[in-house]
Amino acid sequence: MSKADMFRALHHHRVPGDPLVLPGPWDAASARVFAEAGFPALATPSAGVAASLGHEDGQVPADEMFAAVARIVRAVDVPVSADVEGGYGLAPKELVERLLETGAVGCNLEDSEDGVLKDPRAHADWLAEVRAAAGDRLFVNARVDTFTCGMTETDPAVERATLYVAAGADCVYPIGAPPEALPLLRAGIQGPINVGALTDEGPSPAELGARGATRITFGPGLQRRATRALREIVAGLRR
């Protein structure tokens, strides 16, 4: 079984309350920590990687992001999925080729740009092209940005998710969805659902799983928490 097949299998036949938890490494060292802790797979956060490279979120040149992902993949034996934002303007075939060159087995792809939602049908067509180019070699996690773009109802998220699943997405990620909305999203969406969790407050991964989450990611939360811890350590050195 390939790593992509292994990664895909981790998303299926999960029982409520037992979601797939995917820590987000921002460099090779953090990836090794998570893998050594026993997590079966990892998912890079674009904002965390950007911080490690000295960039603001959304400002990382494509070559730097792919190189960073490749270093993370090389550092561990477990499958790694990569957050590649909106695809950096690359054609689907080139995007897939660049991802496969890093060794990644999956990707996050956003459906907004600069805070503006893309046309859902056009985006679904683009996702279908990515799926066709990737075949079963990549697990496609289609981000749904309705909540972060100011919409509060679940219907727009469900409508977009339905289009993306029909286009071949393996999983959908209604980023920013409030925990109380998860049962409605679960009822309206076919297939795995990615939910973002906080690292120090809010519902636990198990609680989010019980509400309908298939997998849990943390965005840049772990990188930012590690940075806060490092600041505390450094402050102690100056006393």
Side-chain angles (χ1 to χ4, degrees), residues 133-232:
D136 60 2
R137 297 176 296 171
L138 287 175
F139 184 96
V140 177
N141 187 35
R143 215 176 81 173
V144 179
D145 292 357
T146 54
F147 292 101
T148 58
C149 288
M151 297 184 181
T152 58
E153 299 296 322
T154 58
D155 286 351
V158 170
E159 290 167 3
R160 284 174 175 263
T162 299
L163 288 170
Y164 302 161
V165 169
D170 296 285
C171 182
V172 293
Y173 179 14
I175 187 171
E180 58 271 18
L182 293 182
L184 283 174
L185 292 170
R186 176 69 283 167
I189 296 172
Q190 297 295 314
I193 298 177
N194 187 142
V195 173
L198 300 175
T199 63
D200 52 3
E201 62 181 355
S204 69
E207 290 169 333
L208 292 171
R211 296 185 189 193
T214 307
R215 83 179 203 178
I216 306 296
T217 53
F218 303 92
L222 290 163
Q223 181 269 328
R224 290 172 180 171
R225 189 167 179 179
T227 299
R228 291 197 299 271
L230 184 58
R231 288 196 181 103
E232 293 174 3

Side-chain angles (χ1 to χ4, degrees), residues 38-153:
F39 289 97
L42 308 175
T44 69
S46 63
V49 174
S52 77
L53 297 174
H55 293 286
E56 295 297 321
D57 186 24
Q59 301 301 312
V60 181
D63 287 348
E64 288 192 46
M65 182 62 77
F66 288 121
V69 171
R71 288 191 293 272
I72 289 168
V73 171
R74 286 197 302 268
V76 295
D77 292 328
V78 299
V80 177
S81 181
D83 182 347
V84 288
E85 304 175 299
Y88 308 111
L90 300 173
K93 187 174 184 295
E94 183 179 359
L95 175 61
V96 167
E97 289 173 352
R98 296 291 300 273
L99 279 163
L100 292 174
E101 285 171 359
T102 70
V105 300
C107 60
N108 271 24
L109 295 169
E110 304 170 3
D111 72 343
S112 69
E113 186 173 5
D114 298 326
V116 179
L117 288 166
K118 298 177 181 177
D119 177 82
R121 294 191 179 278
H123 187 63
D125 289 343
W126 183 78
L127 287 173
E129 292 184 52
V130 173
R131 173 85 285 154
D136 60 2
R137 297 176 296 171
L138 287 175
F139 184 96
V140 177
N141 187 35
R143 215 176 81 173
V144 179
D145 292 357
T146 54
F147 292 101
T148 58
C149 288
M151 297 184 181
T152 58
E153 299 296 322

